[in-house]
Amino acid sequence: MGDEPALNEPVTLHLRGDWGQANMHRICGWIAQEIGDRAPAGSRFAVWSGRGGADAITALREREADIAIITPTAAVRMLARTGGLDGLRSLGVIGQWDRLVVAVDAGLPVHSVAELAEFTGKLTVATSPDDGVNLVGLAAHKALAVAGVDVRRLDFVYDERPFPCIERFADAHADVLVHEAVMTPRWQHIDRLRPVKYLPWGDEVVRAFAAEGWGAAVVPAGFLPGLTEDLHTLDFSDFVVLCREDLPEEVAYLATWCMVRTRRALEAQYAHLPADRSPVTYPLVPADMARTPIALHPAAARAYTDLGADDAPDDPLMWG
């Protein structure tokens, strides 16, 4: 493979992804295979199922994983501010355009999340649990409380993943949906049984989250069914590839080199989707990959410097 970096000694690496069929597992599988192609015989790689939230941090700290994926970048920034990521480093960011959106039945007489606090009727909210691991659940419950909503008055239907929550709302088993994955087809059919409208989180929530490093973002008009004007909401973008600061230099360098130089191998798995509807945003740009919410592993930083922001990927004709 020419001047490509390679490992001189066999390595055993454990990577932590998602539940098994989503994007974090794909990213882990891609990284594992590309490192494996440049590692000597006897090397072993395992991708462990996870939840994509704070469990990734626990797995790294307890040495159950060497590389782990977490989303969104905003939550990583927030956790870093509280010292929750001490001893961890980043290998880079894999782009994903996403938002945390509040959808409600169009007949509900409210126009913002804050107005939910004044609504006296019974409400059922479909979202994820705030259990110390799920970051959708963390953000949803925290934002509702900041907006003045008494969550004790609400009924919740919980699921770990977005699609069951979206289905419950779409099937009229919930009045309110708070979730992510807004680029996926499930959101495009959310209005199949009833008209839908979307609620902005409001300035108070935006300010409170911004103070903790979690930024706001916009869903443009027309992106979701029935969305007639830009929706100001919370960001839920990007996958952060984490490791411990003691990950061997040669492994961290090679992993980062593979993420940059072989990125077409990941992008090609999403090329059948429009770029603005893909759960991994393409094309991946090295300069963006290097902009992480926590410090890069020193070897990863060196790899980005060596390769340069405009480095061309291998197999430029992979698109066909």
Side-chain angles (χ1 to χ4, degrees), residues 74-96:
V76 175
R77 190 176 296 110
M78 183 183 73
L79 293 169
R81 285 178 173 234
T82 62
L85 297 179
D86 290 349
L88 302 186
R89 295 292 180 265
S90 171
L91 299 176
V93 169
I94 305 300
Q96 180 199 42

Side-chain angles (χ1 to χ4, degrees), residues 204-318:
E204 191 168 354
V205 172
V206 168
R207 282 194 298 268
F209 273 67
E212 297 190 56
W214 194 311
V218 171
V219 181
F223 190 85
L224 294 171
L227 184 61
T228 57
E229 58 185 31
D230 289 354
L231 176 69
H232 295 269
T233 186
L234 294 173
D235 194 22
F236 213 89
S237 297
D238 299 336
F239 303 102
V240 185
V241 184
L242 295 176
C243 65
R244 289 185 304 279
E245 60 187 2
D246 65 357
L247 184 69
E249 293 261 325
E250 63 274 15
V251 174
Y253 187 96
L254 179 58
T256 307
W257 187 95
C258 290
M259 287 166 57
V260 173
R261 290 293 294 164
T262 73
R263 60 190 187 272
R264 287 287 190 259
L266 180 67
E267 292 174 350
Q269 299 179 50
Y270 298 91
H272 62 290
L273 299 169
D276 67 341
R277 297 290 179 177
S278 172
V280 168
T281 304
Y282 64 85
L284 296 170
V285 179
D288 294 335
M289 296 167 73
R291 295 191 184 103
T292 71
I294 64 169
L296 286 165
H297 188 290
R302 191 170 71 253
Y304 285 111
T305 299
D306 290 349
L307 291 168
D310 298 320
D311 186 80
D314 288 341
D315 300 318
L317 301 180
M318 186 175 287

